[in-house]
Amino acid sequence: MRLLRCLGKRAALAGVPTYIEHFSKFSPSPLSMKQFLDFGSSNACEKTSFSFLRQELPVRLSNIMKEINLLPDRVLRTPSVQLVQSWYVQSLLDIMEFLDRDPEDQTTLGQFTAALVTIRNRHNDVVPTMAQGVIEYKETYGDDPVSNQNIQYFLDRFYLSRISIRMLLNQHTLLFDGSTNPAHPKHIGSIDPHCSVANVVRDAYNMAKLLCDKYYMSSPDLEIEEVNASNSQQPISIVYVPSHLYHMLFELFKNAMRATVESHEHSPRLPPVRVMVALGQEDLSIKMSDRGLGVPQRQIERLFSYMYSTAPTPQPGAGGAPLAGFGYGLPISRLYAKYFQGDLQLFSMEGFGTDAVIYLKALSTDSVERLPVYNKSAWRHYQGSQDGGDWCVPSTEPKNTSTYRVP
């Protein structure tokens, strides 16, 4: 019996390259926030969701698995990246089992939901494990500009793909696991149709304040202001995933508080962190301003790089603040913003402070998933070499032109 199971497993693994090759030929189907909402609120049909996901999940998994294989061999050989690859292979195989199953069979639907929960749990540590792979690569091979560029490009796409896959898994399991979340009875899966932005801001501030008080024994106050261009008397709300917004705000508050406390350790009073929430016709913008002395403009882009964390490496599963030590808080927060066509930008004035601005789409019809697709354009990104720059590099000393003879 054990031999049969072993043979069956080997046969399934042998079919993985064929599955990946087949499904990666299809582009993922991006959904809008309105589509998520409409499907979940008006007679959500488990059979429809099952039929869509058993096709869509393999497409999203296969597209990003093709890109994993384009990483430099030295990255692919790290134990952590190989572990992540094995998780993706197993998850693809798990879904393949349902490809020809009958959606009318209630047992099949129940097994499918259980399989999605297993997949979601399996991928819980994907971010820190992949981060560990990058660290293993850097410790063994050092810095290489071409590989760094490829890794940055890949990780942005890989983590964005992961956010999108998790969104699909959560929507299905939350809608069809047979129970409602007592804490959020009006949520449609993970989406709040009337997400109060100010409430999420306060929740994120309070959690960051707890951490700040724990480590520094003090924390700056919060000042929050709302400007609703449509109705000045109405509090600002949006159709959004509160956990995504919380993740972004919590990361920004941690950075703002740390900068404020460390730059004012001898001041009698800490300047507050100010948050402005503005709702217009197209955008909902959240600006967080601190007086933490800012950073030089040349360092801004480095703050969004996966290759430049200077913090000590945490152990996966060790608890503590999310992503602490990997330096992934800002780049992943920016991906959460970009996932539904928004953005996250930093504007710093060295010697004064920093403004961080989250841009979200005001309308649920405009909030459409941003999904990576594997194609020739993506493939070319991994093949390019680092060309010489076509701008002069400033030097500390000017050339002495008197030493050069005119021919």
Side-chain angles (χ1 to χ4, degrees):
M1 190 68 182
R2 187 179 298 172
L3 177 63
L4 286 174
R5 278 202 302 269
C6 184
L7 289 172
K9 187 176 182 182
R10 283 186 181 178
L13 285 170
V16 167
T18 309
Y19 295 145
I20 294 174
E21 199 59 43
H22 171 73
F23 285 104
S24 65
K25 290 175 181 174
F26 299 92
S27 291
S29 303
L31 301 174
S32 70
M33 192 73 79
K34 187 174 189 308
Q35 286 174 303
F36 276 117
L37 200 64
D38 288 348
F39 177 79
S41 52
S42 57
N43 36 274
C45 176
E46 189 171 1
K47 290 181 289 186
T48 306
S49 182
F50 167 78
S51 300
F52 173 71
L53 290 183
R54 70 176 174 180
Q55 294 288 338
E56 181 64 15
L57 286 172
V59 169
R60 296 193 186 191
L61 287 168
S62 297
N63 268 266
I64 206 63
M65 288 167 83
K66 288 286 281 189
E67 292 198 36
I68 294 177
N69 291 327
L70 292 177
L71 286 171
D73 287 341
R74 295 183 298 184
V75 179
L76 285 173
R77 283 198 295 266
T78 61
S80 295
V81 173
Q82 289 182 352
L83 179 59
V84 170
Q85 271 189 303
S86 72
W87 290 340
Y88 272 69
V89 166
Q90 188 55 57
S91 296
L92 181 61
L93 289 174
D94 288 353
I95 298 166
M96 287 297 96
E97 291 186 16
F98 294 92
L99 212 54
D100 299 315
R101 300 276 290 272
D102 181 11
E104 300 293 334
D105 180 12
Q106 205 60 41
T107 305
T108 295
L109 297 180
Q111 290 171 346
F112 183 69
T113 302
L116 296 190
V117 171
T118 300
I119 291 169
R120 186 181 62 199
N121 294 340
R122 178 185 296 130
H123 290 241
N124 277 343
D125 283 335
V126 159
V127 174
T129 307
M130 186 60 86
Q132 185 61 39
V134 172
I135 291 167
E136 290 163 5
Y137 162 75
K138 283 178 66 178
E139 286 177 348
T140 307
Y141 301 105
D143 269 351
D144 162 34
V146 176
S147 295
N148 285 3
Q149 186 177 304
N150 288 342
I151 290 169
Q152 181 73 25
Y153 175 79
F154 166 75
L155 288 178
D156 269 343
R157 294 165 66 82
F158 177 74
Y159 290 138
L160 195 52
S161 169
R162 179 183 182 270
I163 290 169
S164 80
I165 289 168
R166 211 162 181 81
M167 180 73 183
L168 294 182
L169 297 177
N170 283 337
Q171 284 304 103
H172 185 92
T173 53
L174 288 170
L175 286 171
F176 303 116
D177 71 348
S179 61
T180 11
N181 186 342
H184 307 288
K186 294 184 178 177
H187 282 197
I188 309 298
S190 58
I191 300 170
D192 185 351
H194 308 285
C195 177
S196 167
V197 177
N199 285 351
V200 181
V201 169
R202 292 187 186 96
D203 287 346
Y205 167 80
N206 289 332
M207 183 54 72
K209 176 179 166 60
L210 281 176
L211 286 179
C212 194
D213 287 338
K214 177 182 176 183
Y215 288 108
Y216 295 105
M217 308 302 290
S218 65
S219 57
D221 291 335
L222 168 67
E223 292 182 3
I224 184 167
E225 182 183 354
E226 289 187 276
V227 176
N228 189 335
S230 306
N231 185 345
S232 58
Q233 305 304 312
Q234 187 76 20
I236 295 175
S237 66
I238 187 176
V239 180
Y240 209 70
V241 184
S243 59
H244 290 189
L245 182 56
Y246 177 91
H247 184 108
M248 294 180 254
L249 289 165
F250 178 60
E251 182 60 33
L252 295 180
F253 272 124
K254 283 193 300 178
N255 293 341
M257 288 183 180
R258 183 173 65 246
T260 301
V261 174
E262 291 182 356
S263 62
H264 292 80
E265 55 183 339
H266 301 301
S267 303
R269 190 170 182 275
L270 295 174
V273 175
R274 293 187 169 90
V275 175
M276 163 76 79
V277 183
L279 177 63
Q281 295 299 312
E282 290 187 25
D283 293 342
L284 184 147
S285 309
I286 306 167
K287 181 176 75 171
M288 186 182 299
S289 305
D290 68 59
R291 292 284 306 275
L293 298 187
V295 295
Q297 186 267 339
R298 66 178 176 82
Q299 291 183 7
I300 292 292
E301 198 50 42
R302 181 172 288 193
L303 296 176
F304 290 101
S305 170
Y306 300 101
M307 303 298 287
Y308 287 103
S309 175
T310 55
T313 306
Q315 296 304 311
L323 311 181
F326 286 113
Y328 280 24
L330 276 175
I332 291 200
S333 293
R334 182 164 68 175
L335 294 182
Y336 272 110
K338 287 187 171 184
Y339 174 47
F340 280 116
Q341 304 298 327
D343 202 358
L344 189 160
Q345 296 180 14
L346 295 183
F347 305 94
S348 195
M349 298 174 70
E350 189 186 10
F352 180 76
T354 301
D355 286 354
V357 185
I358 297 170
Y359 297 100
L360 306 176
K361 292 297 181 184
L363 302 175
S364 59
T365 47
D366 293 339
S367 299
V368 183
E369 289 183 294
R370 180 183 176 90
L371 303 175
V373 57
Y374 174 76
N375 54 23
K376 283 185 178 178
S377 176
W379 178 84
R380 278 196 293 269
H381 269 276
Y382 297 97
Q383 309 307 313
S385 59
Q386 185 88 0
D387 296 324
D390 53 0
W391 293 91
C392 289
V393 179
S395 59
T396 52
E397 297 292 333
K399 285 181 180 176
N400 182 1
T401 55
S402 65
T403 62
Y404 290 86
R405 289 173 178 258
V406 179

